[in-house]
Amino acid sequence: LLNKVVVITGGTGSFGSAMVRFLQTTNISEIRIFSRDETKQDTMRRKFGDTRIQYYLGDVRDYSSLKNAFSGADYCFHAAALKHVPSTEFFPLEAVKTNIFGTQNVLDAAQNYGLGKIVILSTDKAVQPVNAMGMSKGLMERVAVAFARNSSNLEVCVTRYGNVIASRG
C-alpha cells in the first residue's frame, strides 16, 4: 500500500471505520471516504484527525458523484449498501437502486478511472436469500462476477461476511 490511494464507498460505516484504523498503520498515501452522510463524515473527521483521509460527499446511485473520489485512486473497498432487512422489505426498490445499480456505477467508475483492484462487500444473507436485502446483495454479486468476466484491467473480488458485533447494523 506504499503511496497508494484507496477509496472506501460507504466509508462512514462500521467497516469503513475499521478499515481506516487498519490503513492508518500502513504507508498509504491517501484514504478517500465516499459517503452520502455529511454528519458521519464530520464525526469521522474529528475522530481520526488524519490529513491522509479525504472526504467525498456523494451517492453510489449517482455515477457523476463518484468522479472526484475515483480519479487518481488505486484501489476501492465497496461497502456502500442498504443492509437492514426490515428497511429493504418495506422498500425493496431502494435496495435494488443502491445495492445493484449503485454497485454497477462503482464498478464502471473503477474501470473508467483506472483502478487496479476493487473489493466488494456482500453478506451471508445472499446465500439462498429469503428477503429483499439478501436477494439484492445476491444480484449485486452476480453483477460483479459478470463485470469481472468482461474486464481486462480491473481485478474484482467479492467477499461475504455475516453480522458484526458492535456494528451499527
Side-chain angles (χ1 to χ4, degrees), residues 25-148:
T25 67
T26 70
N27 291 323
I28 197 155
S29 174
E30 187 177 338
I31 305 164
R32 296 179 180 175
I33 302 299
F34 182 86
S35 158
R36 64 183 180 182
D37 193 320
E38 62 187 328
T39 300
K40 288 183 198 170
Q41 284 189 8
D42 185 59
T43 300
M44 196 173 198
R45 185 179 292 110
R46 285 185 278 117
K47 176 183 176 181
F48 289 110
D50 188 330
T51 57
R52 295 177 299 170
I53 305 172
Q54 300 298 312
Y55 298 88
Y56 294 81
L57 194 60
D59 193 322
V60 296
R61 295 177 178 199
D62 177 13
Y63 178 84
S64 65
S65 74
L66 295 164
K67 177 183 178 181
N68 291 332
F70 279 67
S71 183
D74 298 294
Y75 308 122
C76 176
F77 290 95
H78 175 46
L82 292 182
K83 303 173 183 89
H84 291 258
V85 171
S87 296
T88 58
E89 285 299 301
F90 286 113
F91 303 99
L93 189 55
E94 299 305 313
V96 168
K97 290 176 187 175
T98 299
N99 297 349
I100 299 170
F101 295 129
T103 296
Q104 184 65 56
N105 286 340
V106 168
L107 286 163
D108 287 340
Q111 182 162 331
N112 293 339
Y113 290 101
L115 276 67
K117 297 180 184 180
I118 183 169
V119 177
I120 297 173
L121 279 64
S122 188
T123 175
D124 58 342
K125 291 165 189 66
V127 180
Q128 297 181 351
V130 296
N131 54 53
M133 194 277 280
M135 290 175 196
S136 69
K137 292 294 259 181
L139 282 171
M140 175 207 72
E141 291 178 4
R142 281 143 187 91
V143 164
V145 169
F147 187 93

